[in-house]
Amino acid sequence: MQVKAHSFKISDLNLLAMFLKRIFFLTLLLVFIVHYPVIGQNITITSPSAGDDFLPDSTMVITWNSDSGIEKVGIVLLNESGQVEVLIDSLTENTGVKEYPIPDELGEKELKVEIYAMVDHYPNCVTEGGDPPVSPCYYRDFDVADTSGAFTIWDHQIEIVKPKIWHIIEDSLVFEPDTLNTGEQLNIQWS
């Protein structure tokens, strides 16, 4: 067996080194783009607002604005200590609106909505078995999120009914359904 010797010129080695450097930097750039595709993106919650009130068995409409580069978002309700109280949707299309039917069992609470960007991490995602997943793999981007002001979910509804107004006129009790004069007292009761 005859071994062939190859000779390289220094200029050939320099070209190879420059080529490898360019490949290395392009690879770094590609990794950066894959890992951080929503840098500089924003999400702004427009509803609910601080001070809003909701009742169980009603529907809260959550709305937000975001930059076009964000394809998917996650939506949660946070309690007063900032912990996740309810996972509304872990991965939904970034449409700018989500209706949430408030369940009865949620009870009376002060909550906030948090919406965060979900980023496709497929090239670097591996399942528990070590195989690449069939569908895209998403992770939460902690830098692209917004939290609403606090709103309240009440566990009861107050109903105000038109009061019955009674006057004492010349030692008689008179019912006048639509009038109350300045200076007169009105007792209002509710249950």
Side-chain angles (χ1 to χ4, degrees):
M1 181 164 158
Q2 184 178 8
V3 177
K4 292 185 179 181
H6 293 286
S7 63
F8 292 100
K9 297 178 191 173
I10 297 295
S11 61
D12 291 341
L13 292 176
N14 285 339
L15 284 174
L16 180 62
M18 279 181 30
F19 176 74
L20 291 175
K21 281 182 187 178
R22 287 183 180 166
I23 293 294
F24 175 75
F25 287 116
L26 287 174
T27 303
L28 281 179
L29 180 63
L30 181 62
V31 167
F32 182 79
I33 290 170
V34 167
H35 282 282
Y36 304 101
V38 292
I39 284 184
Q41 302 290 320
N42 291 305
I43 294 173
T44 305
I45 296 173
T46 54
S47 177
S49 299
D52 285 352
D53 295 318
F54 299 94
L55 293 170
D57 291 329
S58 66
T59 299
M60 174 174 36
V61 179
I62 302 166
T63 60
W64 66 94
N65 295 320
S66 63
D67 294 330
S68 61
I70 302 170
E71 293 179 15
K72 303 217 184 258
V73 297
I75 306 170
V76 295
L77 294 182
L78 304 176
N79 60 24
E80 292 179 35
S81 62
Q83 301 299 313
V84 174
E85 183 80 20
V86 176
L87 173 64
I88 294 176
D89 203 328
S90 62
L91 187 65
T92 187
E93 294 296 322
N94 183 17
T95 61
V97 65
K98 180 75 174 180
E99 291 187 358
Y100 173 64
I102 301 170
D104 243 353
E105 60 272 5
L106 196 55
E108 189 168 310
K109 298 183 184 319
E110 187 170 284
L111 300 168
K112 295 179 179 181
V113 170
E114 182 177 57
I115 300 176
Y116 47 87
M118 293 298 290
V119 180
D120 185 358
H121 197 56
Y122 177 74
N124 299 310
C125 185
V126 178
T127 62
E128 289 180 19
D131 298 321
V134 175
S135 62
C137 174
Y138 288 86
Y139 71 95
R140 177 181 173 166
D141 186 334
F142 286 91
D143 295 327
V144 183
D146 191 30
T147 304
S148 72
F151 58 89
T152 304
I153 295 178
W154 298 98
D155 66 357
H156 58 277
Q157 183 172 357
I158 298 174
E159 183 178 339
I160 299 176
V161 295
K162 187 173 181 180
K164 295 180 181 176
I165 302 171
W166 298 88
H167 291 269
I168 298 176
I169 299 176
E170 297 178 13
D171 296 327
S172 301
L173 199 57
V174 177
F175 171 67
E176 295 187 32
D178 295 323
T179 61
L180 180 65
N181 296 319
T182 304
E184 293 178 323
Q185 273 191 327
L186 175 64
N187 292 323
I188 301 174
Q189 297 179 339
W190 63 92
S191 55

